[in-house]
Amino acid sequence: MTKITSRKELEQYRKNLQKQKGSKNITISVCAGTGCLALKAQEVVDNFREEIKKHKLSANVEVKEAGCPGFCEKGALVVIHPEEINYIKVQPEDVAEIVSETIVKKKVIPRLLYTDPHSTKPIKKESDIPFYKHQKRILLGNNMKIDSKNIDDYILYGGYSALAKALFDMKPEEVLEEVKKSNLRGRGGGGFPTGRKWETTRNAQSDKKYVIVNCDEGDPGAFMDRALMEGNPHLVLEGLMIGGYAIGANEGFVYVRQEYPLAVENTEIAIKKLEELGLLGKNILGSGFDFTITVHRGAGAFVSGESSALMSAIEGRVGEPRPKYIHTAVSGLWNKPTCLNNVETWANVPLIINNGAAWFQKIGTENSKGTKIFSLVGKVNNTGLVEVPMGTTLREIIYTIGGGVPNGKKFKAVQTGGPSGGCLPEKYLDLPVDFDELYKVGSMMGSGGMIVMDEDTCMVDIARYFVNFLSQESCGKCIPCREGLRHMLRILNDLTTGEATEDDVKLLEELSEVVQLSSLCALGQSAPNPVLSTLQYFRDEYQAHINGECPAKVCKGLLTFTIDAAKCTGCGLCMKNCPVEAITGEKKTVHHINSDICIKCGNCYEVCKFNAVQKATGKQKKVVSVERR
């Protein structure tokens, strides 16, 4: 591959790609993200290529393995350009029909289109689907247009023009000032001003400095960083290189968790292609700027997302946080000044340099600029990745984009900010989402996890779930986090079995405050948020558990299952699905559940077609023997 040695050659390279692109009239983009690959997307791609070849359409039709556009629930996703025809849930056997009907005869296949659940009308164009229509996808928008393994695709759509602009039109100080003026805040959770962090590292005196991409995304249900690293790694790498130039670093790392093999693969391919083209290494574009990037695979520890723990892991040590008497921006990797930013933060940088800080400032709220990608999951109709301007309300995200709560259930709460975030009730649905507004009501932006809960959710059980997760992920280095979370979990477990008292809940609150104030790193400091927010907004549910009841009928320790004799037909389905043989009864006779054997799994309740299985809540009285008394 011929190396590109100047800005002029880069632009000529781009023009040549545009000419070549002009010969292909049709592009079939198939999402090749992890979610769609699990739904046979690779077979869909292979079948498309075979069918295009069979119909002798290769000269006019291009098949592209694209990045994730976010609507993962509807995979495998296919978009046909230039008409922008959007097909959902495409199976490998659908491909022959798509080629013969849509590509050859120009006919749309209605059964593969998205159907609006409200109007019941099929929607042809991707941008007309409500899930996409109400988003502002400045970061995710190109995912479906480019093949993440092909650097030419990125360059074709303007890739590395921001790097060239920074290297040739701007001094490092000017790049830094532009980022500061944009008011870009870190997307990893803390929301710290990116420009200030860059400035601290730049001003630190040292012969060596580093920049790092933090792609250690461990929040349950979150995959924003994964989607960007898999789908558009060059956008992140370009941001990293611009940051290195502004800060004075010539070496960068991309820390990717081991559980993201496709993100690792695509990033390593992207780096190799950059090196082959001469856009990485010595004297990039003839500017005199040298830069190298190394991919480091994480070991999957949640705590390694913390900056000092992550840097310890890169150094080859255990991924544990350390006291930050001196910030890592001044003394980080190998005690050298190190600037670490989240994937999404770096991805914003090329857009800011190309379009200017003023453009970026027009998006978002007064103190939170730009867009934010959320992982919208849980009890919501349209799950997936949502990118919206800062300040978009929770109601717009959950109802307008997410399609609301399924099955007519009532909205109960939404947790923002991942496992350490807070649970917000219905009264905050019109809250504009940004760093400061979420913090004011006891939650946080975090990295962008957003879990919707309906009326069937027990808020005590939810708090227990997240504290259990964080307790297991605590590295154990500091006592408040290690022991505090363990004791909090014990009380929450007691609550879900009706064994806790009001004094236990008081102790739970005290422990939450102690852990919050005295833990070493952000994991422990934010871990009590699910408990404190549910206590703040759903305290009545805690009181109900103390009284031996779970209002949502979720906590197994407080449930009883019985069979209504008047409704039971004796079909035997409940008995067949009982894993512990707790149900007895002859065919066409009323069945019975032995509560001493029942493990409260709920299988019988789920499978009964006659609503004969009844679920009730209430603490069961313990049978105390005469001898024990």
Side-chain angles (χ1 to χ4, degrees):
M1 187 177 282
T2 305
K3 289 187 181 296
I4 299 172
T5 58
S6 68
R7 186 183 193 182
K8 186 177 178 182
E9 286 181 15
L10 175 64
E11 290 309 314
Q12 187 57 50
Y13 191 84
R14 196 186 325 277
K15 287 177 183 174
N16 293 340
L17 292 173
Q18 289 166 347
K19 285 181 184 174
Q20 292 168 25
K21 172 69 178 174
S23 64
K24 301 272 187 181
N25 297 323
I26 299 172
T27 300
I28 302 172
S29 292
V30 182
C31 172
T34 294
C36 281
L37 286 175
L39 296 168
K40 304 180 182 177
Q42 191 58 57
E43 288 181 58
V44 171
V45 169
D46 294 342
N47 285 4
F48 265 122
R49 288 185 171 142
E50 193 177 318
E51 285 294 319
I52 294 300
K53 192 176 177 183
K54 190 191 296 180
H55 284 79
K56 298 180 179 177
L57 294 169
S58 302
N60 294 321
V61 181
E62 178 185 23
V63 179
K64 188 166 289 185
E65 296 180 46
C68 173
F71 207 1
C72 308
E73 185 193 341
K74 302 297 181 186
L77 295 162
V78 174
V79 179
I80 300 170
H81 298 282
E83 291 89 351
E84 206 188 305
I85 300 169
N86 188 85
Y87 287 144
I88 63 169
K89 296 187 175 180
V90 176
Q91 296 294 306
E93 53 269 27
D94 296 324
V95 170
E97 184 183 356
I98 294 173
V99 173
S100 63
E101 293 298 307
T102 306
I103 305 299
V104 176
K105 297 178 185 175
K106 306 298 180 187
K107 292 182 180 177
V108 175
I109 305 170
R111 69 178 176 82
L112 293 175
L113 295 175
Y114 173 83
T115 300
D116 187 288
H118 302 293
S119 66
T120 68
K121 291 181 180 177
I123 299 175
K124 176 183 166 185
K125 289 180 67 175
E126 181 191 47
S127 56
D128 288 337
I129 295 173
F131 180 78
Y132 296 115
K133 187 177 181 179
H134 301 285
Q135 296 188 42
K136 188 175 182 65
R137 299 191 297 162
I138 63 173
L139 297 176
L140 291 174
N142 276 350
N143 271 21
M144 205 62 173
K145 295 179 182 174
I146 66 172
D147 177 348
S148 53
K149 291 183 171 62
N150 187 346
I151 190 172
D152 287 351
D153 265 12
Y154 184 68
I155 293 176
L156 176 69
Y157 286 102
Y160 293 103
S161 58
L163 176 66
K165 181 180 178 181
L167 294 179
F168 293 100
D169 296 344
M170 304 170 79
K171 295 175 182 175
E173 298 87 351
E174 291 173 326
V175 174
L176 174 61
E177 283 304 313
E178 198 69 13
V179 173
K180 282 175 67 178
K181 279 195 293 185
S182 74
N183 287 336
L184 171 66
R185 295 173 67 173
R187 301 311 200 230
F192 191 80
T194 302
R196 277 174 54 192
K197 184 185 276 190
W198 286 23
E199 189 172 43
T200 302
T201 307
R202 176 174 171 77
N203 290 341
Q205 298 300 310
S206 177
D207 59 337
K208 182 77 178 177
K209 296 174 183 176
Y210 299 99
V211 284
I212 299 176
V213 177
N214 183 354
C215 188
D216 187 67
E217 185 179 47
D219 297 10
F223 55 107
M224 299 78 64
D225 295 345
R226 191 192 76 195
L228 276 174
M229 288 308 300
E230 285 180 2
N232 199 354
H234 285 289
L235 182 66
V236 183
L237 297 180
E238 186 177 4
L240 183 70
M241 294 165 74
I242 293 169
Y245 172 71
I247 290 165
N250 296 107
E251 190 171 354
F253 288 86
V254 181
Y255 186 99
V256 191
R257 61 173 28 228
Q258 184 68 24
E259 292 90 334
Y260 287 179
L262 186 59
V264 172
E265 178 186 344
N266 288 358
T267 306
E268 289 179 336
I269 290 172
I271 292 170
K272 185 180 177 186
K273 295 295 181 185
L274 278 169
E275 291 170 341
E276 289 175 357
L277 272 180
L279 295 175
L280 200 60
K282 293 284 184 184
N283 194 22
I284 295 169
L285 294 175
S287 65
F289 176 59
D290 304 333
F291 197 74
T292 61
I293 303 175
T294 303
V295 174
H296 183 97
R297 298 187 184 200
F302 182 74
V303 72
S304 289
E306 195 276 340
S307 60
S308 64
L310 185 149
M311 291 177 199
S312 293
I314 291 179
E315 290 170 353
R317 298 185 286 118
V318 175
E320 291 179 339
R322 59 176 184 259
K324 289 190 279 191
Y325 306 117
I326 302 173
H327 290 294
T328 53
V330 176
S331 179
L333 205 55
W334 292 293
N335 297 320
K336 301 293 183 181
T338 304
C339 182
L340 176 144
N341 281 131
N342 160 270
V343 167
E344 197 177 331
T345 313
W346 288 117
N348 272 293
V349 172
L351 304 179
I352 292 169
I353 297 302
N354 264 337
N355 300 303
W359 165 81
F360 192 75
Q361 283 198 339
K362 290 177 183 173
I363 307 169
T365 60
E366 184 177 355
N367 293 318
S368 299
K369 300 299 182 185
T371 62
K372 180 74 190 83
I373 304 174
F374 294 98
S375 173
L376 184 65
V377 297
K379 303 295 180 64
V380 63
N381 279 307
N382 301 329
T383 60
L385 296 181
V386 173
E387 183 181 358
V388 291
M390 294 278 192
T392 303
T393 67
L394 287 168
R395 190 183 299 279
E396 289 173 279
I397 295 171
I398 295 168
Y399 283 91
T400 306
I401 297 171
V405 180
N407 305 317
K409 297 282 185 179
K410 192 173 183 297
F411 171 88
K412 188 169 193 176
V414 58
Q415 195 209 30
T416 66
S420 305
C423 299
L424 303 178
E426 187 176 11
K427 69 176 181 178
Y428 289 122
L429 273 176
D430 292 313
L431 183 82
V433 179
D434 69 15
F435 289 104
D436 304 318
E437 293 300 320
L438 287 172
Y439 183 75
K440 286 177 187 173
V441 294
S443 191
M444 62 183 191
M445 181 77 77
S447 58
M450 189 173 283
I451 302 172
V452 181
M453 305 166 200
D454 69 9
E455 59 189 275
D456 292 336
T457 307
C458 171
M459 302 312 293
V460 177
D461 185 59
I462 279 291
R464 185 198 62 79
Y465 169 81
F466 285 117
V467 171
N468 182 45
F469 172 83
L470 293 164
S471 174
Q472 291 184 32
E473 293 294 339
S474 171
C475 72
K477 185 172 183 176
C478 74
I479 293 172
C481 180
R482 183 185 68 225
E483 298 301 326
L485 288 178
R486 195 178 296 175
H487 282 290
M488 288 170 64
L489 179 61
R490 179 187 58 76
I491 295 171
L492 288 163
N493 280 332
D494 286 348
L495 277 161
T496 58
T497 56
E499 303 297 327
T501 65
E502 291 187 9
D503 286 342
D504 287 324
V505 175
K506 287 179 185 174
L507 178 59
L508 181 64
E509 285 186 277
E510 289 175 13
L511 279 169
S512 297
E513 291 169 7
V514 170
V515 171
Q516 204 170 43
L517 292 171
S518 57
S519 290
L520 179 61
C521 78
L523 189 153
Q525 291 162 7
S526 59
N529 284 342
V531 173
L532 292 171
S533 62
T534 50
L535 276 167
Q536 182 178 357
Y537 300 120
F538 303 95
R539 185 175 282 271
D540 57 327
E541 293 200 24
Y542 280 83
Q543 187 60 50
H545 283 72
I546 291 170
N547 296 336
E549 291 187 359
C550 173
K553 297 179 182 176
V554 170
C555 295
K556 290 182 180 179
L558 298 173
L559 294 184
T560 53
F561 288 87
T562 56
I563 293 179
D564 185 339
K567 293 180 179 177
C568 180
T569 63
C571 70
L573 197 57
C574 58
M575 194 165 67
K576 287 179 185 174
N577 285 277
C578 178
V580 293
E581 298 181 350
I583 302 176
T584 55
E586 299 297 326
K587 197 170 183 180
K588 295 187 178 179
T589 64
V590 176
H591 286 43
H592 301 278
I593 298 176
N594 186 336
S595 59
D596 290 335
I597 301 175
C598 177
I599 59 171
K600 322 285 178 64
C601 67
N603 278 0
C604 54
Y605 182 81
E606 296 294 330
V607 300
C608 181
K609 298 176 181 176
F610 307 99
N611 296 322
V613 178
Q614 304 292 304
K615 182 165 63 170
T617 181
K619 186 180 178 183
Q620 296 183 59
K621 293 179 181 177
K622 287 185 177 178
V623 178
V624 181
S625 67
V626 175
E627 291 79 6
R628 190 175 168 187
R629 274 189 232 162

